Amino acid sequence: MPLHKKIKLGVLVSGRGSNLQSIIEACEQNTIDAKVAVVVSNNAKAHALERAKKHHIPALVVSAPNFETKILKIFKKHQVELVCLAGFMKILSKRFIKGYPYRIINIHPSLLPSFPGLDAQGQALRAGVKKTGATVHFVEEGCDTGPIILQREVPVYEDDTQETLSARILEEEHKIYPQAIGLIATEGLKIDDGRVCLVGPKRGKNL
Ligand code: GRF
């Protein structure tokens, strides 16, 4: 029996679900004080749904119209405390985001604020940067904006293709997403002048 109360996660997905998988595994291995309460997809064909089902996690599909109202209802039923966007390909409204103040997080395959939006890896290759990476951040209105929780850098090599660079970044995504959830669940985070800081005993330490 865990000593701590586990934070309940609602994970929003649209596709492959490899980040969802890394979160599920971290929860099951008790690396983080969290539990995936429900997975919701806007795409019935998302492989992420199969991953959830394999782990006996409720996996639901919502479709337009009013998909946000449907998601909110599901999250309420499952008592979701933290919303994790994991390859969710829809922009959430101001109203939805306000309903979970600094309780929605996202992972993005670049070192934000560089290369927001679609095809972050392609943007990095076209810009010719020598380093890029992955970012976990709180979601605010706007595309891939909001206070940054964790970032991890990866090198960009001369012979990189979209595939090789994406794979290198993804490896880091799978580490920092569960880690960021763990920080929220166990340490507690606050936002001070746009910066994310620890509130617990480790406060002042570098994230
Ligand atoms: C990841 O690269 C994530 O950073 C981005 O969408 C992709 C989702 O991959 N937001 P997966 O569905 O988690 O495998």
Side-chain angles (χ1 to χ4, degrees), residues 11 13 15-18 20-21 24 28 36-41 46-60:
V11 186
V13 295
R16 180 179 55 183
S18 69
L20 167 70
Q21 187 73 40
I24 293 173
E28 286 185 350
V36 180
V38 64
V39 172
V40 181
S41 174
H47 180 56
L49 292 166
E50 302 313 313
R51 296 185 192 260
K53 286 179 199 158
K54 248 193 191 161
H55 291 262
H56 311 290
I57 296 165
L60 304 163

Side-chain angles (χ1 to χ4, degrees), residues 173-186:
E173 292 185 35
H174 295 163
K175 293 178 199 156
I176 62 171
Y177 212 178
Q179 214 179 320
I181 295 166
L183 284 171
I184 294 169
T186 315

Side-chain angles (χ1 to χ4, degrees), residues 73-88:
K73 208 169 152 197
I74 295 167
F75 282 181
K76 207 167 169 199
K77 180 175 167 210
H78 291 273
Q79 298 173 308
V80 166
E81 295 161 288
L82 180 68
V83 178
C84 303
L85 310 186
F88 186 59

Side-chain angles (χ1 to χ4, degrees), residues 77-136:
K77 180 175 167 210
H78 291 273
Q79 298 173 308
V80 166
E81 295 161 288
L82 180 68
V83 178
C84 303
L85 310 186
F88 186 59
M89 299 306 285
K90 276 206 172 274
I91 306 269
L92 294 167
S93 72
K94 190 174 169 177
R95 193 178 129 248
F96 188 98
I97 295 169
K98 277 202 170 148
Y100 282 93
Y102 294 111
R103 286 273 146 185
I104 307 177
I105 61 175
N106 181 42
I107 181 123
H108 184 76
S110 76
L111 294 174
L112 290 172
S114 292
F115 315 131
L118 290 176
D119 190 23
Q121 301 92 334
Q123 292 185 54
L125 287 173
R126 287 189 292 277
V129 292
K130 301 295 182 203
K131 286 169 183 173
T132 182
T135 303
V136 183

